[in-house]
Amino acid sequence: YDDDFLPDIYAINRNGASGKTEVHVLSGKSNFADFGLHTATGLGPTIDDNWVFDVGYGPEDNPNADLFALNKHGASGKTEVHVLQGGPGKDYRDFIVHAATALDSTDKNWNFLTGSLSGTYEKGTDVYAVNRRGASGKTEVHVLSALSGYNDFALHTVTALGPTDDSNWSFSTGDFDNDSKSDIYAINRNGASGKTEVHILSAASNFSEFIEHAASGLEPTNNSNWTFAPSEDF
């Protein structure tokens, strides 16, 4: 949030006391003991399941993380991307992007992540649309390009991962192999190993190959108490 090179934690209240969607930022500098921000955003309540949140960079030249609010079923009849501008003095009050994307309305089979397929953030952060069971019968990735204002795709691909449309799977992004491109972390909450597992799809291969399979030090986490945060260091 504050461009101090320490990742912060964003707590999103979908219907705060203000009557708006609120952002409460726990400061990495304080080891998450203190808040860096409490703010009512420019977005109304988002209590239905259509809304997904992540952080990334909008199209403006701003070192601070912006808030991506994705509506799976917008008024346009499309999946929409709405970006609220972050940073001190901005505080997610104003929108810098409203986009009806190239993607039709999406359902519970879809996950949305922010990342960079090209390794640059010249025009902002791409949106990775992960279809847990595509027409191919596999997990698919469809990347909405920031360069196009999310009006076009940079990639359609069938991944190396089978269908993941059960509650055991969670997804996030991160640059695992230090090539500046955002790989996809596929987290199996209850893997064959009897542990929570991490399987990483390589962006360099357009997600057709894995670069890591790991049984983590964490026991199974396949109940509603557990969630997994993006690992991308914005």
Side-chain angles (χ1 to χ4, degrees):
Y1 164 71
D2 50 9
D3 193 32
D4 63 0
F5 300 101
L6 293 170
D8 307 302
I9 290 177
Y10 284 63
I12 312 294
N13 189 339
R14 295 169 176 265
N15 190 11
S18 63
K20 298 273 194 172
T21 295
E22 297 177 351
V23 176
H24 306 274
V25 179
L26 288 156
S27 165
K29 187 186 298 182
S30 72
N31 288 331
F32 314 113
D34 298 322
F35 287 97
L37 177 70
H38 297 283
T39 189
T41 72
L43 190 62
T46 52
I47 55 176
D48 64 56
D49 292 337
N50 287 334
W51 291 90
V52 180
F53 295 91
D54 207 338
V55 293
Y57 296 122
E60 84 292 353
D61 185 17
N62 176 13
N64 305 98
D66 301 313
L67 183 68
F68 280 59
L70 295 108
N71 191 341
K72 293 184 176 187
H73 186 66
S76 62
K78 297 277 191 173
T79 296
E80 298 177 351
V81 175
H82 306 274
V83 181
L84 291 146
Q85 188 172 25
K90 305 297 183 182
D91 296 344
Y92 311 111
R93 291 187 293 267
D94 297 321
F95 290 95
I96 50 175
V97 173
H98 290 288
T101 74
L103 191 62
D104 288 334
S105 293
T106 47
D107 59 21
K108 64 183 181 181
N109 277 345
W110 292 79
N111 274 48
F112 292 90
L113 316 166
T114 57
S116 173
L117 184 64
S118 66
T120 68
Y121 294 93
E122 179 185 356
K123 292 294 183 180
T125 301
D126 301 319
V127 171
Y128 289 22
V130 179
N131 189 343
R132 294 167 173 265
R133 186 187 286 266
S136 64
K138 296 258 196 172
T139 296
E140 300 176 352
V141 176
H142 307 271
V143 179
L144 289 158
S145 163
L147 196 62
S148 73
Y150 310 108
N151 293 313
D152 204 356
F153 291 96
L155 179 70
H156 297 283
T157 190
V158 177
T159 75
L161 193 61
T164 53
D165 56 336
D166 61 56
S167 59
N168 282 342
W169 290 88
S170 177
F171 296 91
S172 64
T173 53
D175 180 13
F176 180 77
D177 52 3
N178 295 314
D179 64 355
S180 299
K181 299 179 180 181
S182 300
D183 307 307
I184 291 178
Y185 288 54
I187 298 160
N188 189 340
R189 298 166 183 269
N190 191 9
S193 63
K195 298 277 192 173
T196 295
E197 298 177 350
V198 180
H199 306 275
I200 302 177
L201 291 158
S202 162
S205 73
N206 286 338
F207 313 112
S208 64
E209 297 176 3
F210 290 100
I211 48 176
E212 181 68 20
H213 295 284
S216 76
L218 195 60
E219 297 300 321
T221 53
N222 55 331
N223 65 54
S224 59
N225 288 340
W226 290 86
T227 188
F228 295 89
S231 54
E232 195 78 74
D233 181 5
F234 289 108

